[in-house]
Amino acid sequence: MADGRGARTYATTRVEAYTDGVFAIAATLLVLDLTTKGFGRLKTDDQMWASLVDMSDNFVAFAVSFLLLSMLWTIHLQQWRDIGRVDSPMLWLNNLRLLFIVLIPFTTSLVSEYSEFYAGRMLLPINFFFAALLGYLSYAWAAARGGHLLEEDARDNARRQSLGGLSAVIFALVAVVLAPWVGSWAFLVFVLNEPFTRFLQRRGGAREGAGA
């Protein structure tokens, strides 16, 4: 298949299936950091509970990463609903995004094990920043040149739809800035992601209405 400019394009079905599979595997691998922790020989319930409390950092890192990974997948789902076909640049933007998605279990384990070190605190938010950025760039590329890769009925609202990805990029960058001081608590800024996205979309809609 080719677009109006003669560039070769492909159906989205297999790309979406591959992307969903990578997200699912990354989410599953997150739990391995919990299952590989041995308790040693336990003799009482108190020792069992104490061992679980000692793993609190691991549980927090797992929960934070799973929720943020789910947020990135939700944004992906919303954006790809509008995409009608893909070309080679978009394929590779998506592949680069998935590179950072599959790194999330590794950088999550660094947070739980080495949060006292600067690198241990920083690599996870940096990881999420690049995953969010590449997701945003993928949609921006699809919407470029009048929406050359979008479904026909999605082109008028492409700018508003892209704001969800842009909001995630902004808050991921804020988390990177805050992480050296507060570690994983920096990801609490993502609580504001949804209302900030709605704010941007309302503001974008008002501008479009004023320009009409």
Side-chain angles (χ1 to χ4, degrees), residues 3-81:
D3 64 13
R5 299 169 186 264
R8 184 170 179 79
T9 60
Y10 310 89
T12 63
T13 307
R14 295 186 67 183
V15 182
E16 291 180 90
Y18 176 59
T19 303
D20 287 344
V22 171
F23 268 94
I25 291 170
T28 303
L29 290 176
L30 284 174
V31 80
L32 291 183
D33 191 46
L34 301 179
T35 59
T36 56
K37 303 299 178 185
F39 291 156
R41 186 172 179 82
L42 302 176
K43 297 181 178 180
T44 66
D45 284 338
D46 288 342
Q47 289 178 344
M48 180 70 175
W49 286 114
S51 297
L52 289 171
V53 170
D54 288 341
M55 290 181 62
S56 59
D57 288 343
N58 302 76
F59 287 121
V60 170
F62 166 77
V64 167
S65 292
F66 185 84
L67 291 173
L68 292 175
L69 191 61
S70 297
M71 183 196 71
L72 291 179
W73 180 81
T74 300
I75 293 171
H76 157 75
L77 181 66
Q78 294 169 343
Q79 292 179 340
W80 280 70
R81 178 183 57 198

Side-chain angles (χ1 to χ4, degrees), residues 33 37 57-59 61 107-115 120:
D33 191 46
K37 303 299 178 185
D57 288 343
N58 302 76
F59 287 121
T107 51
T108 299
S109 69
L110 294 180
V111 171
S112 59
E113 292 295 325
Y114 304 105
S115 60

